[in-house]
Amino acid sequence: MLNSRVNLLGLSQAKLAQFFQDLGEKSFRVQQVMKWIHHEGVQSFDEMTNLSKALRSKLNEIAEVREPEVAVEKISKDGTRKWLVRVDNGSCVETVFIPQGKRGTLCISSQVGCALDCSFCSTGKQGFSANLSTAEIVGQVRMAIHSLKETEPDRERAVSNVVFMGMGEPLLNFDNVVDAVSLIMDDLGYGISKRRVTLSTAGVVPAIYELAKVSDVSLAVSLHAPTDELRSELVPINRKYPIAQLMEACQHYLDGLGEHRAITIEYTLIDGVNDQPEHARQLAALLKNLECKINLIPFNPFPGSDYKKVSDDNLEQFQQILYKKDCRIMVRTTRGEDIDAACGQLVGKVNDRTGRHARHQRRLEAKQIPMLPIQNDDVNSRTSNREFRR
Ligand code: SAH
């Protein structure tokens, strides 16, 4: 039977206001219900004790508050956690929590798989299956916050930052992602400030212009190469939206943000591919006039990929060149490697619709390499959300 109840977990404040207006309810219901859903994390309308009985029973009929279910949780020895989260179409996506001192960063997925097929990313090798709904995106945040509260009750705010750097290209699931971003930043939602919520894109240029119209969320751009020739090889969407157009879009986005904001430029360093001194110099020149910080990410290997991680010497040299050119840089340390939770290792469990996954598996078999990690994961030993949380 088709579930036609509205999942209130996925309604932005504006949409929830419309929902209650259509029901002929007063506008203060929006505040009440959002607090129950996002602050208190309740599962049912019966727990919303400041709503009238009549309203509760109406809501039980037509609406629901439903979080995606956790299939597997893994905890790395460095404290990183990864949840395999089952979404409506039966596939699974991955959500990762990375504690770092006082900061706790939650890395969330926006799509099941990814259509973009960046050459160094294992999610791309899974092909594309579906967009996540707003409830499935926000549900990852809600699930993580409440799960961490149970195991780390002393941390006042376990999730301090949210990054859209899990599976998928967020700007190709624009409407659902924009609503999710607004709920994550909304005080009646998760109240995380715009500086601590980052949307990462491979460079869907027209969507960056659209985003500038509706949001001031922080933006990260996956650049990975300083020239079109190399970038088109690593990030195929560059053939459609080359670097010059991408840089213009970044500047436009930045212009809309106001003072003291910067774009994050992500640069995954791959041994012998994009880690040479000339690449660093070209990168510095390219970014000379853009207010940005450069995030250097050592490539994380995954089965079937021929690329290798940057050497320590090349990483050091690359950094030094950028420093001398006055670039602001950070090096992302690899976390959660033992549970395949590092950048680019997120593969979920995707019912691929593109055939790309099958092609990749055939390559692995031909090379006698074990299947992608998730195939070995015990997705069936699942814990239901309720058991898991309570
Ligand atoms: N589609 C979005 C968000 C997902 S990827 C984007 O492209 O930005 C999040 C970041 O991890 C991106 O910068 C991506 O390039 C990087 N990444 C992907 N695979 C990686 C790998 N194997 N090693 C290191 N970083 C990787």
Side-chain angles (χ1 to χ4, degrees), residues 107 110 114 116 118 120-123 164-170 199-203 220-224 235 266-269 297-302 332 342-345:
C107 177
S110 57
C114 186
L116 294 186
C118 297
F120 53 87
C121 177
S122 61
T123 303
F164 283 78
M165 295 182 188
M167 296 167 67
E169 169 48 49
L199 187 156
S200 177
T201 178
V221 170
S222 291
L223 191 64
H224 308 308
V235 185
E266 293 165 283
Y267 196 103
T268 295
L269 282 162
I297 314 168
F299 168 71
N300 290 310
F302 58 89
R332 198 181 289 174
C343 290
Q345 292 184 325

